[in-house]
Each structure stands twice: as structure tokens, then as C-alpha cells.
Amino acid sequence: MKDTRNRAKHIWDVIVVGGGNAALCAAISAAERGARVLLLEGAPKPYRGGNSRHTRNFRCMHRAPRSVLTETYEEDEYFDDLMRVTGGNTDEKLARLVIRSSEECLEWMTARGVRFQPSLSGTLSLSRTNAFFLGGGKALVNAYYNKAEDLGVTIAYETPVTDVLINDNRFVGVVVQGANSERVIEGRACVIASGGFQADLDWLARAWGPAARNFLIRGTPYNRGIVLKAMLDQGAASVGDPTQCHAVAIDGRAPKFDGGIVTRLDCVPFSVVVNRDGARFYDEGEDVWPKRYAIWGRLVAAQPDQVAYAIIDSKSLDLFMPSVFPPEKADTIEELGDRLGLSGAKLSQTIAVFNAACRPGAFSPTELDGLATDGIDPPKTNWARPIADPPFYGYSLRPGVTFTYLGLKVDASARVESAAGAYENIWAAGETMAGSILGQGYLAGFGMTIGTVFGRIAGREAAAHAA
């Protein structure tokens, strides 16, 4: 059948699919090596940048204090932290590649316009491990777009890619949706950096079941997995579990899509968390928040109606990043339960049992303090203080999905693999291949590290091939 789609008049050296951190790192790296680069961003310009515009920092290995990073954070400790949150479900070769390469990223990012600031208050000792972006992820995205434009990268907004054209295991072009028709754009090499499928609620529901329709998508609504599906349908090798994702507990009042990082609630370590029935269901003090916060999205997802509630008292209100929405407030636990739509009597009973299990000890909010409960299940193993000082505060929690871990399998050069062997000229970076390293769980700032490292590798390799 004759292909009636319009075709571009020239062939690009490198076509980058996506518009976030990984895509931009790839585009910049390729352009710096002399390639003619086209970057295709499906979102309108004001929403460019994918999930990267909602980020705050990236996790960076370093052997001595440098820039805004304090003390040291060396390879083995970094890898141990990753192993702890993933339960060992990672590709060690690729993980260590990301960790080692992160050390040189700080200087590379700064040279391309990204600025950093000391870690924010209430971030539980991230000053040693994570470099915070001055102005947040939106400032990082803007800096990279400015650099890409300076290098001559052509950027097309509102240009979603609907298919990837492959012939004999070799990329030849992409199909993009225009205002009135589809057209084909040809290229010598392709970098796929278009994220996961989390904004496709039907796909989420097929993976998770009907409960997924109660999830909130705190990232961009434009990551629907269209390119990922196109690649998998054509035989690209997959990696990761479709039910695994970066999902955190966010404010239940957040919007369905694109609420971003401000909707995250960091109060869990200092709270008692209960489900709809007023019962505790997990250890709120298992580890410091940057290492354990991402488990709470899945924990809440497993509760009735996919909802939970965090209860604190007045002495804990200033120990975490302020919330974007004010908490419910009451002078008694029973009244607070009624305000939250819970049984006030049941919540009061749960808090009373928890308070009775608390033991004296030294409280230290920025590190594991061993201040644990005794005689209740589940225990609280750190920061266990009675919820006893009025007024009392409560937040509703829902699962907030950032990105999914089902993705494209890549090798250490970021080249995408298939049943017929590695593609000759297709590379991937960022969330669309992060499942190779993040089999489950999450480590604060690590998604940006994966995107930066593999974006640079993919851009470099694609440009070399095109040349």
C-alpha cells in the first residue's frame, strides 16, 4: 500500500523524541559534536520539559565537598542506597555506570547554564547527596533549551510522535501528528527520551487493575507511552514491570494531572498514618525520607479506596517542607477524624494505642534516631513520639505517580536492544529506559541522574553514528 504521508525534504542527523532533561542532554551532546539535531516535544511550549520541570535536584557521587555538596558521597554508599530501595532489583553494571558518571555531571551542567543552591530546609540531610537546582526544574529546563537553541538545535513543539519507522533493525524516521495530517521525518539516528506511560489511565488500569483510576498523576499529562508502545510492538526488548513505578504519597486534594512536586507530603516520618478504616498499616519511621518516601505511593495504593491519612501534632508541624494545601486542624483527635471523614472514635483509639507504645529517648529529626515503639504491630522504628500536643493536624494521602518503570532495554552505550540484536541507530535515555536500573522503589533525585548520564551518552553515540 502506498504511503501517502508527507515527507520532510531533508534527513536530520539526529532526531530526539521528547523534551525533558534526558532529551535535552542528548540534543545538546549531539549538537556539540556537530550533528544537525531536531528535537520533537509533544507538549506546547509553556509545558515543555516533561516531568523535569517539576524536579528539584539530582543525586551526585563526589569524593570531596564540591559546589553545593557537603562532605563525601562515594560509589559504594551510593550503590548501597540504591540496592536498599530497589531490593536488589537493578542492573549493577548500568547502575554503577550512572553513579560513577554522575560525578562529572555537576561541572557539565554548570557549563551549560544550570545553577545550584544549598539544600532546602526540611529536606532531611540531602546536602551531602543531592545538588539542588536554583529555581527548580523549570530553571534547569529553560537553561538547557537556551543552550540547545544557541547550538542550532531545531525545536518543534506540539509535535507528538505517533510511530517510529524501522527497516531491517535500522531506524529510518518518525511519524509525527500535525494539525491536519501525519507526516514522516527522516533521520540517520534517533534518541528516544519520551518518558513512560503513566498519563494513559487505560494502560495503568490494565497493569494495576481498576484501582489505578483512583491514582493521581503528579507529572506531565503528555507522557502517554505512545512511542514506547510503538517500539515494543515492533519487537524492541522491554525491561521492567508495568506495575512498578515512581509513586509517592501526595496530597489527596491535588489535581488529577501535573500537580508536580509541590503536592508531595513529607510529613510521614513524624506522623501516624492510617487508612480509611482508621488503622495503621506500615512503619512510618522505617528510614530517612529521601530513601523511603517513594514506597508510600504503593502502600497507599494498596489501601481501601486508595486513600490514607497522616496525623501529626503541633510539635511536628515545622519539621518538614510546608505543604501546598493547609492541613485539617482540630483541638482533639476525635474532632480531627470527623473533619477528615473518618470515624473520630476509631482514630482516637488508634492514636491512644500508638501513644502508649512510645518510649522515652532522644529525638533527632534529620537522622535515624532509634526512637521506636514497643509492643505494637506495625512498629514505628524511628521518630516515634506521642501524638499528644494539640492542636492536631491531618492530611489526606493518595498515590501520586511520577513515571512508570516498564521501558526499553538498553546496553551501556544507551543503544536499544531487540530480539534481533541491538538496533543499529536507536538509543534511549531517561524515564523510557530507567526500568533497567530502577526495578522497584526510588532514590530521591536519581531519575534526573539517570536522564543526565544516559542522555549525554545517547546524544554522543547518535552523533558519532550520524557522522
Side-chain angles (χ1 to χ4, degrees):
M1 181 176 179
K2 184 178 179 180
D3 188 344
T4 60
R5 293 171 294 204
N6 296 323
R7 290 183 178 269
K9 294 181 179 179
H10 57 261
I11 299 177
W12 294 90
D13 290 335
V14 178
I15 296 175
V16 178
V17 182
N21 172 61
L24 289 162
C25 289
I28 289 168
S29 294
E32 288 179 340
R33 286 162 175 79
R36 293 176 60 255
V37 180
L38 172 65
L39 184 145
L40 301 172
E41 165 63 285
K45 186 174 181 179
Y47 294 95
R48 69 185 185 182
N51 288 338
S52 303
R53 61 194 175 88
H54 292 308
T55 60
R56 294 190 300 190
N57 56 70
F58 91 115
R59 186 166 287 253
C60 184
M61 170 186 159
H62 56 106
R63 306 165 200 268
R66 56 183 302 191
S67 182
V68 297
L69 295 167
T70 62
E71 303 178 36
T72 64
Y73 188 50
E74 299 199 40
E75 179 182 338
D76 286 344
E77 182 185 1
Y78 198 148
F79 184 70
D80 287 347
D81 286 343
L82 179 64
M83 289 292 283
R84 188 175 301 116
V85 299
T86 63
N89 191 357
T90 187
D91 182 316
E92 181 171 354
K93 179 181 177 181
L94 297 185
R96 288 193 180 274
L97 171 63
V98 169
I99 291 168
R100 292 174 189 141
S101 301
S102 71
E103 188 172 26
E104 66 186 38
C105 287
L106 198 69
E107 183 177 348
W108 187 90
M109 297 165 77
T110 301
R112 286 149 187 82
V114 179
R115 297 293 177 260
F116 295 92
Q117 65 181 12
S119 63
L120 308 175
S121 61
T123 53
L124 286 178
S125 301
L126 282 171
S127 65
R128 193 171 64 82
T129 59
N130 290 51
F132 280 73
F133 312 130
L134 179 63
K138 189 67 175 289
L140 173 138
V141 164
N142 289 342
Y144 281 159
Y145 271 103
N146 290 339
K147 182 64 177 178
E149 289 169 354
D150 289 344
L151 290 167
V153 174
T154 298
I155 299 165
Y157 298 106
E158 297 183 77
T159 310
V161 173
T162 60
D163 202 1
V164 180
L165 303 180
I166 299 171
N167 185 12
D168 291 333
N169 232 38
R170 181 177 176 275
F171 167 80
V172 294
V174 294
V175 181
V176 299
Q177 180 64 54
N180 300 309
S181 64
E182 289 185 329
R183 63 190 177 104
V184 173
I185 304 176
E186 297 179 357
R188 296 183 175 88
C190 180
V191 176
I192 297 172
S194 49
F197 66 84
Q198 64 278 355
D200 184 336
L201 298 182
D202 291 335
W203 195 343
L204 271 186
R206 288 195 298 271
W208 278 80
R213 299 193 182 278
N214 287 332
F215 297 176
L216 304 178
I217 312 304
R218 68 179 191 140
T220 175
Y222 296 97
N223 283 9
R224 303 185 188 100
I226 295 171
V227 178
L228 172 62
K229 184 177 185 302
M231 289 296 297
L232 296 178
D233 286 348
Q234 295 182 82
S238 67
V239 68
D241 181 341
T243 69
Q244 293 292 336
C245 58
H246 176 11
V248 304
I250 67 173
D251 196 301
R253 297 162 290 182
K256 186 67 175 178
F257 292 98
D258 220 24
I261 199 165
V262 297
T263 62
R264 195 178 92 192
L265 291 173
D266 292 350
C267 58
V268 168
F270 312 117
S271 73
V272 164
V273 179
V274 301
N275 61 19
R276 181 199 64 188
D277 301 322
R280 290 179 63 241
F281 53 89
Y282 198 80
D283 176 4
E284 302 91 344
E286 185 175 44
D287 206 339
V288 290
W289 198 232
K291 296 176 185 175
R292 301 306 296 178
Y293 77 95
I295 69 170
W296 279 88
R298 296 186 68 86
L299 292 170
V300 174
Q303 300 307 305
D305 296 335
Q306 295 72 57
V307 65
Y309 302 86
I311 311 300
I312 61 172
D313 64 9
S314 59
K315 63 180 176 289
S316 296
L317 190 61
D318 297 325
L319 295 178
F320 53 90
M321 291 289 290
S323 58
V324 68
F325 302 115
E328 292 290 345
K329 177 182 177 182
D331 291 325
T332 68
I333 294 293
E334 189 164 346
E335 180 187 355
L336 180 63
D338 293 338
R339 287 181 178 274
L340 292 170
L342 303 171
S343 164
K346 174 59 177 175
L347 180 61
S348 182
Q349 178 188 16
T350 297
I351 297 298
V353 170
F354 172 83
N355 288 350
C358 292
R359 296 294 177 259
F363 173 78
S364 179
T366 60
E367 60 186 1
L368 297 174
D369 62 6
L371 188 57
T373 55
D374 181 29
I376 59 171
D377 185 32
K380 184 173 182 179
T381 50
N382 292 282
W383 311 297
R385 297 190 297 176
I387 308 294
D389 297 352
F392 302 100
Y393 302 90
Y395 295 92
S396 63
L397 305 174
R398 282 197 178 276
V401 179
T402 308
F403 66 94
T404 45
Y405 289 174
L406 176 69
L408 301 175
K409 185 175 177 58
V410 301
D411 61 19
S413 70
R415 194 186 300 266
V416 178
E417 299 182 1
S418 78
Y423 290 104
E424 177 184 333
N425 55 348
I426 306 177
W427 291 264
E431 293 173 2
T432 201
M433 48 66 62
S436 297
I437 302 166
L438 287 166
Q440 65 183 52
Y442 191 69
L443 199 58
F446 194 52
M448 290 297 286
T449 309
I450 294 172
T452 303
V453 170
F454 270 91
R456 292 177 62 199
I457 293 172
R460 179 187 70 217
E461 295 294 320
H465 175 88

